[in-house]
Amino acid sequence: MPSPDLIIINGNIVTMDPLTPKAEALAATGGRVIALGTTAKIKALAGSGTRVIDAGGRLVLPGFQDTHIHLQDSGQGYGQNAALDEARTIDELVEIMRAFAASHDRPWVDGVGWYTGIFTDHNLTREVLDRAVPDRPSFILASDGHNACMNSLACEYVGLVKGLADPPNGHFVLDENGVPTGMLHEDAIKWADARMPQPTDADFAFGVKYAASLANRHGITGVLDARVADRHVRVYDGLEKAGELTVRICATALVEPSDTTEEALARIRAFRAAHQSDMFTVHSAKFFLDGVMENRTGAMIEPYSDELGGNASLMFEYDQILELFTAFDAARFQIHIHVIGDNACRAALDGLEAARKANGKWPSLHQIAHVQCIDPADIPRFHELGAMINIQPLWARHEPSVTDVALPMVGEKRGKWMYAFRSLIDAGAPYALSSDWGVSTLNPFEIMETAITRQPPGRPKTHPVFLPEQRMTREECVKGYTIHAAEAAWRSADTGSLTPGKYADIIVLDRDIFECDVYDIGETEVMLTLLGGQEVHRDPGFGG
């Protein structure tokens, strides 16, 4: 055996490989793990050029993978615009936007990340943004990406005026006189965006680097960008060819309701054929079957239970779902589906069932993401169809978007099946954990803590628990970010565990998340992140 390029010694290495679950040390060469063993055994392999990292007894894990994230868009959004995550009142939001406007002289003043559990059609309008930015157009996107608001100058710029018809799958919120308030729902955002000045490819490349650095700091070495189109693919391809990516990127390409099956297949086949490297690949088709509860576009089997009632339609025709899923499955694409309401979930499962009947069984691990609401009759179908639930546990907690918005809309009976992760896992559903960043933090440790506690990180332990019977275990959470995530991204042959032959994508943590107080998991810091054995993040306090 040649001398390794790299060895890690004195570690508490949890490999996530059941054949060799733990080790003290490992060796890697050419970016891949070549040996595991005791510190003495691995040190004996070192040559004069071997780099030695002393883990100091710390927990060492495979790099985490976030298999539902909007890396490029959110990186550009947070890297170049006002961050509104911390705003909890209208005055706070106005002050953040006012301060950001004063910091630059760009033609537009934009922000991202406002919280739909607090800011709604009833309190966020063009007049609010006019207070913050009276002299330039301003556009702010909600954290969920399904809602946005513009000030008066922005409305004027894009032509949002009284009497304008809603676009397909979109809605312009109107006041009592029929005048647009500036609030946009769903594809009304696309309508406005198409009429606004666009960031350049260089802006989005900056966003990818910003986001990748943030991901590396949190131990993430691989992602699945959950919604890409031509520009995303072009920017990722340029960075990959320049050797500037520090996370492995799989991508799922958007299919629109306006697409014909032939058009969508041709476009995404071209993406797949052109992009198949270890650092960037396109292998999936993405479908939005509904919207979100916060703007009443989640599609439910039965009408909403609150005073307003009503319901939302699926964003694709039902027969169109069956046809598209069958065609993409036959072409051996993975299918990645956004579902919030229980009717959207059922339609997704029906589509996958139709595809399996037509094309036979194969290890697709089609992804059904979010699953905020599910009819209990559909829980066993995930296992039966081999459909993977791609879950964002941070949302499963007592917060306004759940308690003040979603629960009243679905009612007590259906509310018992909200974010039913335990029930799905116990029924044999394959699963992976992810963030949906920028909808919420990409910090996997805060997300895992919430999955285990069903309480918000950083709150008192006495904070109400949201459906405690749906809690997950620590081991399940780590699997959800490692071996299961690698399977979800179709990268399990090369990543997900520290197995000889796989990439040396490795993280060193400041605490043992298997043993520490569960309420301390969210505070975990990543000391070191290696991608293919190369350092992409080092905490200043790590001396190894």
Side-chain angles (χ1 to χ4, degrees):
M1 178 185 295
S3 296
D5 302 326
L6 165 74
I7 63 172
I8 297 176
I9 60 173
N10 297 324
N12 173 21
I13 302 174
V14 177
T15 68
M16 305 308 294
D17 180 346
L19 297 179
T20 311
K22 299 198 74 171
E24 290 179 348
L26 65 76
T29 195
R32 292 182 183 265
V33 177
I34 59 170
L36 297 157
T38 64
T39 291
K41 174 185 173 182
I42 298 300
K43 282 182 73 173
L45 302 176
S48 59
T50 301
R51 181 162 49 109
V52 180
I53 295 173
D54 189 333
R58 295 180 178 89
L59 179 63
V60 179
L61 288 169
F64 285 178
Q65 301 188 44
D66 190 323
T67 53
H68 189 104
I69 190 171
H70 301 282
L71 192 84
Q72 187 174 139
D73 291 341
S74 298
Q76 186 276 326
Y78 278 99
Q80 296 187 323
N81 300 311
L84 301 172
D85 312 64
E86 301 300 318
R88 287 297 180 267
T89 68
I90 289 292
D91 287 345
E92 288 175 354
L93 185 147
V94 166
E95 185 53 39
I96 292 170
M97 289 300 295
R98 184 178 289 151
F100 182 68
S103 73
H104 65 86
D105 60 358
R106 297 180 204 161
W108 282 65
V109 182
D110 296 337
V112 293
W114 53 270
Y115 179 37
T116 53
I118 292 175
F119 304 112
T120 69
D121 297 350
H122 305 293
N123 62 6
L124 184 55
T125 64
R126 64 163 78 194
E127 288 79 14
V128 169
L129 281 181
D130 288 346
R131 286 171 48 197
V133 190
D135 58 341
R136 283 175 281 173
S138 180
F139 171 92
I140 59 173
L141 182 67
S143 62
D144 62 13
H146 294 256
N147 298 271
C149 191
M150 300 189 297
N151 71 353
S152 294
L153 286 176
C155 291
E156 180 181 334
Y157 187 98
V158 302
L160 180 54
V161 296
K162 183 176 180 178
L164 187 68
D166 284 341
N169 288 329
H171 177 57
F172 304 122
V173 178
L174 309 178
D175 67 16
E176 63 275 10
N177 297 313
V179 176
T181 69
M183 186 70 90
L184 312 171
H185 294 172
E186 301 299 338
D187 283 2
I189 300 171
K190 291 183 184 178
W191 178 92
D193 185 67
R195 291 158 175 78
M196 292 162 50
Q198 296 299 305
T200 65
D201 280 10
D203 291 325
F204 285 108
F206 168 86
V208 173
K209 295 176 184 178
Y210 172 91
S213 176
L214 182 65
N216 294 155
R217 292 202 303 273
H218 288 92
I220 296 169
T221 56
V223 302
L224 193 155
D225 191 315
R227 175 179 176 172
V228 304
D230 290 342
R231 179 259 300 163
H232 302 84
V233 172
R234 185 172 65 245
V235 170
Y236 282 137
D237 181 62
L239 290 169
E240 192 267 341
K241 288 177 177 173
E244 297 182 19
L245 292 176
T246 62
V247 291
R248 304 185 192 279
I249 296 170
C250 289
T252 177
L254 182 65
V255 178
E256 301 273 19
S258 57
D259 283 327
T260 68
T261 300
E262 293 74 20
E263 289 169 343
L265 274 171
R267 181 176 68 249
I268 300 177
R269 274 183 168 136
F271 286 157
R272 180 171 66 179
H275 306 289
Q276 289 291 322
S277 76
D278 289 343
M279 291 303 296
F280 176 51
T281 183
V282 181
H283 64 44
S284 305
K286 172 66 177 290
F287 299 84
F288 284 86
L289 294 196
D290 67 345
V292 292
M293 289 298 181
E294 288 82 354
N295 64 20
R296 307 183 76 83
T297 55
M300 301 295 292
I301 296 169
E302 299 294 335
Y304 300 141
S305 299
D306 61 0
E307 185 176 346
L308 289 175
N311 204 343
S313 301
L314 295 169
M315 291 183 170
F316 287 77
E317 296 296 329
Y318 182 79
D319 288 345
Q320 187 185 20
I321 293 170
L322 304 187
E323 177 183 320
L324 282 163
F325 283 20
T326 299
F328 273 94
D329 180 81
R332 293 306 189 247
F333 284 96
Q334 190 180 71
I335 298 170
H336 198 110
I337 317 153
H338 167 109
V339 306
I340 292 294
D342 57 11
N343 192 39
C345 184
R346 179 164 292 177
L349 291 164
D350 288 352
L352 297 183
E353 184 175 356
R356 175 168 285 196
K357 286 179 179 177
N359 305 323
K361 181 179 179 180
W362 63 285
S364 59
L365 282 178
H366 294 314
Q367 308 282 300
I368 301 183
H370 314 318
V371 193
Q372 182 169 356
C373 299
I374 187 169
D375 188 288
D378 288 324
I379 288 175
R381 298 179 70 194
F382 279 80
H383 172 69
E384 293 163 4
L385 294 170
M388 178 172 267
I389 178 172
N390 193 309
I391 55 180
Q392 297 71 45
L394 194 79
W395 307 345
R397 60 192 196 178
H398 277 282
E399 288 281 279
S401 60
V402 173
T403 56
D404 298 351
V405 178
L407 282 174
M409 289 176 68
V410 303
E412 182 178 356
K413 182 179 179 181
R414 292 185 292 187
K416 292 178 180 178
W417 298 102
M418 191 175 289
Y419 302 124
F421 308 147
R422 174 83 273 138
S423 297
L424 282 154
I425 292 169
D426 286 348
Y431 71 93
L433 271 61
S434 61
S435 69
D436 203 12
W437 186 73
V439 176
S440 56
T441 180
L442 60 70
N443 185 334
F445 305 101
E446 291 184 358
I447 291 168
M448 289 191 292
E449 181 181 320
T450 305
I452 299 161
T453 66
R454 303 279 289 206
Q455 297 164 284
R459 301 286 180 85
K461 297 180 181 181
T462 55
H463 190 91
V465 179
F466 182 65
L467 301 179
E469 67 274 15
Q470 297 294 347
R471 284 169 159 167
M472 295 174 62
T473 69
R474 300 180 199 231
E475 291 76 13
E476 287 169 340
C477 289
V478 175
K479 287 179 179 179
Y481 269 111
T482 56
I483 54 174
H484 290 183
E487 292 168 353
W490 286 4
R491 281 193 285 243
S492 58
D494 290 309
T495 67
S497 65
L498 298 178
T499 300
K502 293 190 178 185
Y503 283 117
D505 296 351
I506 301 167
I507 58 176
V508 181
L509 308 184
D510 72 340
R511 70 198 67 193
D512 186 342
I513 60 175
F514 294 102
E515 299 294 338
C516 70
D517 187 315
V518 68
Y519 291 97
D520 290 337
I521 291 175
E523 299 298 319
T524 300
E525 297 288 340
V526 179
M527 297 287 99
L528 184 71
T529 304
L530 303 176
L531 180 75
Q534 299 301 308
E535 190 174 302
V536 292
H537 163 70
R538 177 183 286 263
D539 186 277
F542 181 63

